Amino acid sequence: MPPSGEPVASVPPMPESFAAATAVTPSPGVPGRFDVHIPPSWSTPGGVHGGMLVAAGLRAAREATDRPELAMRLAHAVFLAPPSNDLFFDVVSLRQGKRSAHVRVTGTCGQQDHAAIDLTVVFTADGESPAWLDARHPDVPSPEQLPSESGFGVPAHGGPIPPPPLFDHLDVRSVIGMVPWAEGWTPDQPARHVRWNRYLETPRCPDGSIDPLGLLPFADLPGPAVWVKGRPGEMPMFFLSLDLSISFLEPVPEEWVLTDIRARWVGSGHVYAETDLWSGGRLVATSTQTMLRRIVP
């Protein structure tokens, strides 16, 4: 709600907005099926960004469940194959309880007709309970005190690799964990990268609140936490996500989201990373993922 208490009128999303890029449309004649087109302007060098794919699948789950009294609490995605920009999602209700709903979403590439993602989503109702937080907000400057950058820890349009189209929609500002090609990089840093993120056009729900689905692309950008441990001659290095899990803890109060990314383990050609997502001093979500390490010439 805005400060006046009046609801915000629903405004059609701009063509290049996050809401438009992840919008889903019911498929005619197929109950529980939704079509989506994720524009290439939201891609990464590897193609469709995993966070965008998960966000679109969760939007389909939310549309199909249609229980506004429930909040999306957690989701676990397994990436099955590289997706195309055009997909359809099939949503199946696994269980509908008084205060919860469990659904499954499978995403299939439209033209190739092969499975791309398998999602499990849980919705629950709020309840009375004690409240505490055993996590500390990183001690960092505000985003207004930092310069905008390309998303790779360097000034916009700098660095050895061009920023992918996804970053054209974001304002990102690194705080902790400089990558090897950034000024001030030092060897043997902790495998940690802390960065402020926001959309140039903040995604919002019909009631005017910030859409938590917008957290997904921020959660699925763990690369710099691994890069800080590398050496300039080892770069560039990219990753293929095998899965992505996220728990939604609280509503997102502000457009700026601080991601605290830690690469907990690297070995056997794999990476395991965890990300805390903060907004307005609140821990709004946490995510984990396992990835395959890829060297790109």
Side-chain angles (χ1 to χ4, degrees), residues 118-133:
D118 188 0
L119 262 166
T120 303
V121 193
V122 180
F123 301 82
T124 63
D126 289 337
E128 294 293 331
S129 75
W132 50 264
L133 174 65

Side-chain angles (χ1 to χ4, degrees), residues 42-62:
W42 285 84
S43 293
T44 64
V48 176
H49 184 245
M52 295 293 292
L53 181 63
V54 176
L58 295 185
R59 195 177 297 281
R62 191 160 66 184

Side-chain angles (χ1 to χ4, degrees), residues 265-271 291-293:
W265 175 86
V266 176
S268 304
H270 294 73
V271 179
M291 300 164 286
L292 291 173
R293 180 175 177 266

Side-chain angles (χ1 to χ4, degrees), residues 56-252:
L58 295 185
R59 195 177 297 281
R62 191 160 66 184
E63 291 286 333
T65 304
D66 193 25
R67 293 186 62 182
E69 79 278 12
L70 303 181
M72 188 176 293
R73 295 297 176 186
L74 63 93
H76 179 230
V78 176
F79 299 104
L80 304 176
S84 61
N85 296 95
D86 294 287
L87 302 100
F88 59 85
F89 292 99
D90 290 305
V91 184
V92 177
S93 175
L94 301 178
R95 179 182 181 275
Q96 294 289 333
K98 292 182 179 180
R99 298 175 57 83
S100 66
H102 298 67
V103 302
R104 184 181 184 187
V105 184
T106 54
T108 304
C109 299
Q111 296 179 348
Q112 297 89 344
D113 195 27
H114 71 259
I117 187 172
D118 188 0
L119 262 166
T120 303
V121 193
V122 180
F123 301 82
T124 63
D126 289 337
E128 294 293 331
S129 75
W132 50 264
L133 174 65
D134 190 12
R136 179 176 296 180
H137 189 283
D139 184 12
V140 296
S142 68
E144 291 77 16
Q145 298 175 275
L146 301 165
S148 295
E149 60 179 59
S150 69
F152 291 135
V154 294
H157 308 298
I161 49 179
L166 175 72
F167 285 98
D168 292 340
H169 306 277
L170 307 178
D171 184 353
V172 293
R173 309 182 182 199
S174 296
V175 192
I176 297 173
M178 296 298 104
V179 293
W181 53 85
E183 183 179 355
W185 176 83
T186 58
D188 301 320
Q189 298 179 69
R192 182 188 184 197
H193 183 75
V194 180
R195 175 177 59 214
W196 286 105
N197 316 257
R198 71 171 174 179
Y199 290 92
L200 300 183
E201 181 182 339
T202 303
R204 295 186 180 276
C205 297
D207 64 359
S209 62
I210 296 176
D211 191 347
L213 297 185
L215 297 174
L216 268 302
F218 299 158
D220 191 26
L221 291 170
V226 183
W227 294 343
V228 299
K229 295 287 284 185
R231 304 281 174 172
E234 298 175 351
M235 298 294 134
M237 180 185 355
F238 292 97
F239 312 95
L240 176 65
S241 293
L242 299 176
D243 79 330
L244 176 62
S245 296
I246 187 166
S247 293
F248 300 96
L249 306 179
E250 298 189 15
V252 184

